[in-house]
C-alpha cells in the first residue's frame, strides 16, 4: 500500500441491492464525507453512474476537489475484480442480465482509477488496511449476513483465482448427501444454509419442530422468526436459542478447521450482523475449531471480530480497495 | 523466475524416508547428473550433510563446478519453508525429535542459497517451472501416494500460510462424525483416509467384507491388498476394483469442488503412483466435480496429470525451488 500524500483520499462505494453509499476516506480510515443514492430505479447503468457522480460532486469539492482523490473502490454483488465488471447481478435491475463495466464507467466519469470487488473481499481489504488485520499477510474474513461470504488474503494479496470469483467459502459442503439443506446456489449442504442469518432462522424452525424444549421463540410465528429474534432470546438466557448458536458456531468452527488446511491463516475475522451475538457464537466456533483442526495448526490462528464500525464498514472496505490500485 | 545464464543449473534433493536422491538440473528441466545416498544410518544431521556433499562433489565438477550452480532446492517431509528447517520428522532418525536447520547447513557446506519445502509444494513448483502448469498463476497439485498431499499456487506463489505448513488438503474432513475413518493425524474422516493408496486398500477390504460381489481381489489375503493390486484387477476389468476407483474418484471430485470455492484454480494437477490408473480414477473425479462444483466455477478448471517423469519428478520439483530463491 502506497499512500500518496498529495492525494490523501479515496472514495468508497458500498453498492447494495437497495442503497448505494459513498464515503471519502483518508489513509487512517476516517470518513471525511458521505452521500448516498438509491441503487434501483435507473433504466441502465449509465443513468446510475450519472446520478452517482452528481451526488459525489459536492462531497468531492468539500474535501478539496478531485485532485485530492487517489482512486475509488467499489464493493458490489457479482463483481469481477479482473474485468472491473458486475456480471448478471440478480438483484440489480440495470445489471440483471448483462455484464456492466462499472469500474471503467466510473473511471471515465471521474478521471481517477477505479477497482471493484465483492463485499466480502472489500471487507478483507478493509480489515487489512484499517482494521484488526493490519500487518497480517494471511487471514480469512468471514461475513455472516443474509449469506455467508469470505475474503481470503494469502501472501498479503486477496485470492481472486483464475476468474475473479474465488473466495466463496459459504459454499463449501458441510453436510453431504440427501440430508443437506437446499442452497440458493442450487446445491445442497452448503455452509451458508446453516450459518447465515437465514440459516440460523432455519435451524430455529427445525429445533422448534423437532423438540418440545420450552423457548421464548415459541411465542413467535415460526415462519417469521429471524436471526435477530434468536439473538434476543439467547440474550435473555433462552436455552433453545443458545443451542442454535452452539449448533451454528460448531459448524463454523469445523469449517474453519478445514480452511486452515488450505492457507494456515494467522486469523479468522468475523464480520456482519450475526457477530453481534459475541461470545454466544464465537465460543462455540473456537471450541469446535480447537477440537477439529489438524494438530500442526492448533493454537496458531486468532479468532477476531471486525473492528470496523458496523454502519460504515462496507464503505470503508470498498474505499480500501482504492489504496491498492 | 529469473534464470541466470552464467549459473545455468540448480541442485534438487528429494529427501525421502529411505533414499536421498540428488539431481543437477537445467532451466528446461533436463537432469544433467544424479547421485544418491541413504537417508538413514547417520547419527546426526551434520553427518548426513557431510555424506551428501561428498556424494555431490563429483557431479558438481561434472557440470563445471559450483560456480555454475545457482541454488539448491530440497523436498522433504515436515519441511518448513520459512525457517529452512525439518521439524520433528517422525521417519528420519537424525530429525526425529529435533528441529534441523537443513537449508542453512547445506548452504554453509556448498556456498549457495538453499530452500526447502515439503514434497507436494516442491511438486507444485516443479509443475509451474517445467511441467503442465507452466504459465499458470492459480492451480492445485494433489499428490496421491501413501498419503494425500497438496501444493497450492495462488497469484503465482506457493501458499505457505502463516507458519509454512499450509496446503494440507489431504486433511480436509470428508466424512463427519463417528463413521469417519481414523487418520494418521489423529482425527477422523480426512480425505487422505479414503483417497491415498492406503485408503484405496482400505476401501477394497471394506467392499470385500460388505458385499458378495465376485472379484479377483478375493484371491488375495485381505490384509495384504495394496492399491497396486486394485489397479491390476481394475485393468483386467474387475467390477469391484472399478467400483473402488469410482468411490475414490467421486470423493476426490467432491473435495476438488470445495477447493474451487477457495481459490478457483485454472487446473488441478494430479501426481503420484495412483494416477497411473488414468481414466479409471480421472473420469470419476471429473464427473463428481462437475456435479458438485458451484455453477460459477463449472467448466473452468482443467484436470491434468503431471507431465513430470515419475522416477525423477520429485528431484525435478525440489530443483525448481532453486530457481525461485
Amino acid at each position: 500500500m502506497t499512500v500518496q500524500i498529495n492525494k490523501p483520499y479515496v472514495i468508497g462505494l458500498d453498492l447494495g441491492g437497495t442503497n448505494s453509499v459513498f464515503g471519502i476516506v483518508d489513509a487512517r480510515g476516517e470518513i471525511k464525507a458521505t452521500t448516498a443514492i438509491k441503487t434501483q430505479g435507473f433504466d441502465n447503468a449509465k443513468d446510475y453512474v450519472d446520478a452517482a457522480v452528481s451526488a459525489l460532486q459536492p462531497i468531492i469539492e468539500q474535501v478539496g476537489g478531485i485532485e485530492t482523490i487517489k482512486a475509488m473502490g467499489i464493493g458490489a454483488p457479482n463483481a469481477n475484480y479482473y474485468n472491473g465488471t458486475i456480471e448478471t447481478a440478480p438483484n440489480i435491475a440495470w445489471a440483471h442480465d448483462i455484464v456492466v463495466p462499472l469500474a471503467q464507467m466510473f473511471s471515465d466519469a471521474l478521471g481517477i482509477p477505479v477497482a471493484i470487488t465483492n463485499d466480502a473481499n472489500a471487507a478483507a481489504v478493509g480489515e487489512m488496511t484499517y482494521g484488526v488485520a493490519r500487518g497480517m499477510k494471511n487471514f480469512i474474513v468471514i461475513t455472516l449476513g443474509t449469506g455467508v461470504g469470505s475474503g481470503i488474503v494469502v501472501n498479503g494479496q486477496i485470492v481472486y483465482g483464475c476468474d475473479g470469483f474465488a473466495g466463496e467459502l459459504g459454499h463449501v459442503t458441510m453436510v453431504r448427501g440427501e440430508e443437506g439443506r437446499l442452497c440458493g446456489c442450487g446445491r445442497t449442504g452448503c455452509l451458508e444454509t446453516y450459518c447465515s442469518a437465514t440459516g440460523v432462522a432455519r435451524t430455529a424452525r427445525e429445533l422448534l419442530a423437532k423438540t418440545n424444549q420450552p423457548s421464548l421463540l415459541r411465542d413467535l410465528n415460526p415462519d417469521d422468526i429471524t436471526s435477530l429474534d434468536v439473538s434476543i432470546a439467547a440474550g435473555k438466557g433462552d436455552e433453545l436459542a443458545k443451542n442454535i448458536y452452539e449448533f451454528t458456531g460448531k459448524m463454523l468452527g469445523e469449517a474453519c478447521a478445514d480452511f486452515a488446511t488450505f492457507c494456515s491463516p494467522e486469523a479468522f475475522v468475523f464480520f456482519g450482523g450475526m457477530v453481534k451475538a459475541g461470545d454466544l457464537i464465537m465460543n462455540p466456533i473456537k471450541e469446535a475449531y480447537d477440537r477439529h483442526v489438524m494438530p500442526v495448526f492448533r493454537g496458531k490462528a486468532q479468532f477476531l471480530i471486525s473492528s470496523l464500525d458496523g454502519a460504515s464498514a462496507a464503505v470503508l472496505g470498498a474505499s480500501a480497495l482504492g489504496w491498492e490500485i
Side-chain angles (χ1 to χ4, degrees), chain A:
Chain A
M1 191 184 82
T2 313
V3 179
Q4 297 186 20
I5 301 301
N6 57 340
K7 294 199 172 187
Y9 305 122
V10 286
I11 298 173
L13 161 54
D14 169 29
L15 197 166
T18 307
N19 294 310
S20 290
V21 183
F22 302 82
I24 298 181
V25 182
D26 72 10
R28 296 172 61 185
E30 200 171 309
I31 298 180
K32 295 297 182 182
T34 61
T35 188
I37 62 171
K38 294 282 172 202
T39 300
Q40 308 287 351
F42 298 100
D43 288 337
N44 54 55
K46 187 179 176 305
D47 290 354
Y48 169 81
V49 172
D50 287 348
V53 171
S54 294
L56 274 169
Q57 290 303 355
I59 63 166
I60 290 173
E61 289 313 311
Q62 198 181 317
V63 299
I66 195 72
E67 300 76 30
T68 67
I69 315 268
K70 180 181 180 292
M72 175 177 181
I74 305 172
N78 298 61
N80 185 321
Y81 174 80
Y82 291 134
N83 300 337
T85 53
I86 295 183
E87 305 195 356
T88 58
N91 299 322
I92 300 173
W94 48 264
H96 175 57
D97 52 4
I98 51 168
V99 173
V100 176
L102 199 65
Q104 192 60 53
M105 292 172 76
F106 269 107
S107 183
D108 290 346
L110 293 170
I112 55 175
V114 180
I116 187 167
T117 191
N118 70 39
D119 56 347
N121 286 339
V125 183
E127 294 297 343
M128 189 160 50
T129 311
Y130 315 120
V132 292
R134 259 176 302 186
M136 290 188 191
K137 297 281 185 197
N138 295 279
F139 66 97
I140 300 179
V141 169
I142 297 176
T143 64
L144 300 173
T146 315
V148 173
S150 65
I152 305 163
V153 173
V154 164
N155 295 332
Q157 299 174 308
I158 293 280
V159 177
Y160 289 113
C162 73
D163 57 354
F165 292 114
E168 285 289 353
L169 299 183
H171 297 277
V172 294
T173 306
M174 293 304 291
V175 179
R176 296 189 186 276
E178 298 294 310
E179 67 268 43
R181 291 182 185 170
L182 186 65
C183 184
C185 76
R187 295 146 66 246
T188 58
C190 295
L191 180 65
E192 171 166 305
T193 65
Y194 298 90
C195 300
S196 63
T198 42
V200 165
R202 213 158 152 178
T203 303
R205 283 190 287 278
E206 275 187 20
L207 278 186
L208 289 168
K210 264 195 216 163
T211 71
N212 290 316
Q213 197 176 356
S215 170
L216 297 167
L217 296 171
R218 294 197 185 275
D219 300 340
L220 304 169
N221 177 348
D223 288 343
D224 297 338
I225 290 175
T226 66
S227 67
L228 184 62
D229 297 322
V230 179
S231 170
I232 291 167
K236 291 178 182 165
D238 188 89
E239 285 301 321
L240 187 136
K242 287 201 269 183
N243 291 349
I244 295 167
Y245 278 112
E246 282 283 337
F247 172 87
T248 309
K250 180 170 178 291
M251 191 169 286
L252 277 167
E254 289 188 24
C256 288
D258 277 350
F259 303 160
T261 67
F262 206 102
C263 63
S264 185
E266 52 194 305
F268 293 94
V269 181
F270 292 85
F271 185 102
M274 268 178 54
V275 176
K276 295 203 180 77
D279 285 350
L280 274 175
I281 182 89
M282 295 303 287
N283 284 346
I285 291 175
K286 286 185 262 188
E287 283 162 23
Y289 182 82
D290 286 341
R291 210 163 39 240
H292 286 275
V293 77
M294 263 186 98
V296 67
F297 302 123
R298 198 167 285 151
K300 288 182 177 170
Q302 300 177 66
F303 284 77
L304 304 173
I305 292 179
S306 167
S307 65
L308 301 182
D309 175 59
S312 54
V315 169
L316 281 175
S319 79
L321 207 60
W323 299 118
E324 304 272 314
I325 298 176

